Amino acid sequence: MHKGDHRRIKPSHDYRRESTQAKTERRAMTGPSAGMSAAKRWSHCLFAVLLATSLLVWWHSLASTLILALERDAYTHILLIAPLSVALICLERNTVQLPFEGSAGAGTFLLTIGLFMRVVAEWGAAIPSDVRLSLNMLALVVWWIGSVIFCFGTKAFRWFLFPLCFLLLIVPIPDAVLNWTIEWLQQQSATTARLMFWVARVPVTQDGIMLFIPGLDIEVARECSSIRSSLILVITTIVLAHLLLRSWWRKSLLVAAAIPLSFVKNGFRIFVISELGTRVDPSFFDGQLHRHGGIVFLTIALGAVVALLWVLRRTEGPHPRKLVLSTARE
């Protein structure tokens, strides 16, 4: 056979090889990966439909909660919850590849519970309006969690457990619970301020939420309970504990420390303003520090939380990811 004949045969051989490769690529495109991609798109579309349905069904409750958060200091924290939850989900979504296998049984159960709570809230004539709103918003969160499980499965729910449960904080606190919390903060703030006066050797007596020092009678009013800054302090501490600590007992310890800090900072605020007003200038009683100084004392409390967080992180040792990176570099 001549060399020229070899040259004519090679193109046909190459053509067959290219044809085989093309067939293989076509099988890959129509194989399991393509099916997984279709299932992924279907899961996202179904979740979007369920989410849109929840916005239509609960739009009045959402609007009422938004108005409540804008008008009353005790509910301002609600404005932070949904954006923080979405940010946490996006942050954790980039670190894991989950199978998009919906769990129809568990998801349908939670969706049904959410609808049932919605019906009870709307048709319960004896339910007060504030409790009705709280029940409606709780039903909405249950519907959202059920939607995640229905579309993406229980594995996705377990992975995103914290940001999904974090959404429960958008449920407005009923008035009875809120009033009890404010009264408790008033009492604890007065007691903390009394202890600070005692440490500073200032003669002080306490009668409930009233404090009496030489030349001044102090009432820890509802407006002075700092319920807004206390809730923001606790919520910020919860997020920091989730992001920066691994063990559950350290997370619990950090969050538990934020609760006494919420009234210690308020007692410290009462003590500082009272001392400045009686010893420096009476204008401090009605000045900017009294009216708008909450952010200053909240920052001090956050500094204490960060200090405790630093100590707890030191006791946990190096993060496993750091060990992997250092081994890879070696």
Side-chain angles (χ1 to χ4, degrees):
M1 186 180 290
H2 298 287
K3 293 183 179 180
D5 295 332
H6 285 289
R7 294 190 190 99
R8 285 192 296 271
I9 292 172
K10 284 182 180 179
S12 62
H13 175 71
D14 293 340
Y15 173 79
R16 288 195 300 271
R17 183 175 61 183
E18 291 173 1
S19 177
T20 303
Q21 291 177 353
K23 290 179 181 179
T24 304
E25 291 175 357
R26 282 196 297 271
R27 291 194 196 102
M29 291 176 64
T30 58
S33 60
M36 180 62 71
S37 178
K40 181 178 179 180
R41 288 194 298 270
W42 168 250
S43 297
H44 280 90
C45 291
L46 183 58
F47 180 74
V49 170
L50 291 173
L51 184 60
T53 302
S54 70
L55 297 179
L56 290 174
V57 174
W58 279 277
W59 72 268
H60 185 269
S61 299
L62 283 166
S64 299
T65 302
L66 180 60
I67 293 172
L68 195 66
L70 293 173
E71 292 182 349
R72 296 182 59 180
D73 290 347
Y75 299 99
T76 305
H77 67 280
I78 292 177
L79 300 174
L80 304 173
I81 302 305
L84 279 175
S85 181
V86 172
L88 289 171
I89 290 175
C90 293
L91 181 64
E92 296 181 6
R93 180 66 183 87
N94 294 329
T95 63
V96 65
Q97 291 292 333
L98 291 173
F100 292 88
E101 300 174 356
S103 179
T108 302
F109 175 76
L110 286 178
L111 292 173
T112 304
I113 291 296
L115 284 178
F116 176 75
M117 294 171 64
R118 162 73 175 172
V119 172
V120 171
E122 289 301 316
W123 294 96
I127 300 177
S129 59
D130 60 308
V131 178
R132 180 177 290 109
L133 179 59
S134 299
L135 187 58
N136 261 315
M137 292 303 293
L138 179 60
L140 175 60
V141 175
V142 172
W143 176 278
W144 284 345
I145 294 175
S147 300
V148 171
I149 295 176
F150 187 87
C151 297
F152 306 114
T154 54
K155 289 183 179 180
F157 170 70
R158 287 195 297 268
W159 185 264
F160 301 119
L161 178 63
F162 177 83
L164 290 175
C165 292
F166 188 70
L167 285 170
L168 291 170
L169 292 173
I170 70 172
V171 178
I173 305 172
D175 288 343
V177 178
L178 180 64
N179 291 333
W180 180 87
T181 304
I182 291 176
E183 292 172 2
W184 182 78
L185 283 173
Q186 287 176 274
Q187 184 66 40
Q188 299 304 318
S189 298
T191 301
T192 303
R194 177 176 61 83
L195 292 174
M196 292 180 180
F197 283 121
W198 179 78
V199 171
R201 300 183 180 277
V202 177
V204 59
T205 56
Q206 180 180 358
D207 182 13
I209 59 173
M210 294 293 300
L211 295 173
F212 306 95
I213 63 175
L216 183 65
D217 296 341
I218 306 168
E219 179 185 3
V220 184
R222 288 176 62 89
E223 296 78 9
C224 300
S225 64
S226 296
I227 181 68
R228 176 173 60 180
S229 62
S230 297
L231 288 171
I232 291 176
L233 174 65
V234 173
I235 290 171
T236 304
T237 304
I238 291 173
V239 175
L240 290 175
H242 170 70
L243 291 175
L244 301 176
L245 294 175
R246 299 193 304 276
S247 64
W248 281 103
W249 75 264
R250 288 181 177 86
K251 293 179 181 181
S252 302
L253 178 60
L254 186 66
V255 175
I259 297 175
L261 278 174
S262 63
F263 58 78
V264 168
K265 69 171 178 55
N266 200 34
F268 183 60
R269 180 182 182 182
I270 296 169
F271 170 76
V272 169
I273 294 174
S274 300
E275 287 292 279
L276 290 174
T278 55
R279 297 176 182 272
V280 180
D281 189 345
S283 64
F284 279 103
F285 290 131
D286 199 34
Q288 293 296 320
L289 187 62
H290 185 198
R291 294 178 177 275
H292 308 291
I295 185 65
V296 176
F297 298 94
L298 174 61
T299 302
I300 295 173
L302 285 173
V305 168
V306 171
L308 178 58
L309 175 62
W310 180 82
V311 173
L312 293 174
R313 277 178 61 85
R314 295 274 294 183
T315 62
E316 280 192 325
H319 197 279
R321 290 181 180 177
K322 294 182 178 179
L323 292 177
V324 172
L325 288 174
S326 61
T327 304
R329 289 171 183 171
E330 292 176 0

